Amino acid sequence: MWRVGFVFESMQTGLASLSKHETDFSYSLLPTPYTPPTNSSRYPRPRSSTQQPVIVKAMKAENIMTPNPLTTTKGETLWEAAERMLAHHYGGLPVVDEDGRYLGVLEMDDLLPRPENIPGAPDVLALQLFDKWVDEHSIHDFEGIYKEKPVEEVMRTEVPVLKPDDPLRVVLDKLIENLYRRMPVVDEDGKLLGIITRGDLLRLLMGRK
């Protein structure tokens, strides 16, 4: 009898131990919520539903323009204006009078000769600069014209102007839709305050201005 009692007691002890192990094991199988590292770029933290988007402050022409830009005058020769453009790597200059009032814009494109058909020979092209035929093999022809012709005869006067408080949408509309490379910003008296180029707009939109 003592042997049977011993075996029965051992079985009870074993079952109690097995029950405890099974209970512990079952708890180990419960899923544990995964929390990704907050400092890992691979697991960006999701935006909260209450988080507000960043609002960029409204920009105006006076915030975008390059103030006090380099200029030329209507009485300067094209040679003088071109030297200033090349020295400062500009593609154009605003033209002002002696009081600083805006008159127009001189673009580098306007200083370059254009291939045109020779009258009477439609299949033959030659270079024409300001209504003068020039020899493409002679630099002296170009130099002579640049040094004798004033800026006033070549500058563009149809370029519209911007006001300092014009919003960004107006600046974009006038500069891009009208295919202008640069536009002046003037005050109520017509005095030049600054210039806005396409590069200025691109720097602004890339956050570099």
Side-chain angles (χ1 to χ4, degrees):
M1 289 293 295
W2 67 267
R3 181 178 298 273
V4 173
F6 175 77
V7 171
F8 180 75
E9 183 178 353
S10 298
M11 291 178 61
Q12 283 186 320
T13 303
L15 288 173
S17 176
L18 177 62
S19 176
K20 181 178 183 301
H21 282 29
E22 286 180 347
T23 303
D24 292 342
F25 182 70
S26 64
Y27 276 105
S28 67
L29 292 179
L30 290 177
T32 302
Y34 173 69
T35 303
T38 57
N39 61 344
S40 174
S41 60
R42 292 183 57 192
Y43 304 99
R45 182 178 297 177
R47 171 179 287 189
S48 171
S49 59
T50 60
Q51 184 176 352
Q52 298 297 321
V54 177
I55 300 176
V56 180
K57 181 181 178 181
M59 299 296 291
K60 297 181 179 180
E62 62 184 352
N63 307 123
I64 307 170
M65 71 180 188
T66 299
N68 305 314
L70 200 65
T71 63
T72 184
T73 62
K74 62 179 182 179
E76 281 191 318
T77 65
L78 296 180
W79 183 271
E80 293 171 318
E83 283 190 323
R84 193 170 300 123
M85 289 184 196
L86 295 175
H88 295 274
H89 307 285
Y90 287 170
L93 295 172
V95 185
V96 297
D97 63 12
E98 58 275 6
D99 296 320
R101 284 188 292 268
Y102 167 75
L103 299 175
V105 171
L106 180 66
E107 290 284 352
M108 186 177 289
D109 294 349
D110 299 327
L111 304 180
L112 301 178
R114 303 179 184 279
E116 301 285 350
N117 294 109
I118 296 178
D123 297 330
V124 179
L125 289 177
L127 295 183
Q128 193 174 45
L129 182 62
F130 313 131
D131 299 327
K132 290 185 177 181
W133 296 103
V134 292
D135 183 359
E136 61 182 289
H137 303 292
S138 176
I139 298 298
H140 297 290
D141 287 356
F142 300 101
E143 182 179 339
I145 295 174
Y146 289 148
K147 287 185 175 180
E148 70 180 22
K149 188 172 286 292
V151 169
E152 184 179 17
E153 295 185 16
V154 181
M155 68 182 188
R156 303 182 185 186
T157 57
E158 79 283 359
V159 179
V161 299
L162 294 165
K163 299 297 183 182
D165 59 349
D166 280 342
L168 177 60
R169 63 179 181 275
V170 173
V171 176
L172 286 167
D173 179 63
K174 289 187 176 182
L175 189 62
I176 296 179
E177 293 298 327
N178 294 291
L179 301 179
Y180 293 111
R181 297 179 183 275
R182 69 202 78 249
M183 291 184 64
V185 182
V186 302
D187 62 14
E188 295 180 356
D189 298 323
K191 289 189 176 182
L192 183 68
L193 299 176
I195 200 82
I196 296 180
T197 66
R198 295 185 179 188
D200 292 327
L201 291 173
L202 185 58
R203 279 189 290 273
L204 170 69
L205 299 176
M206 294 180 67
R208 298 184 181 183
K209 190 159 180 75

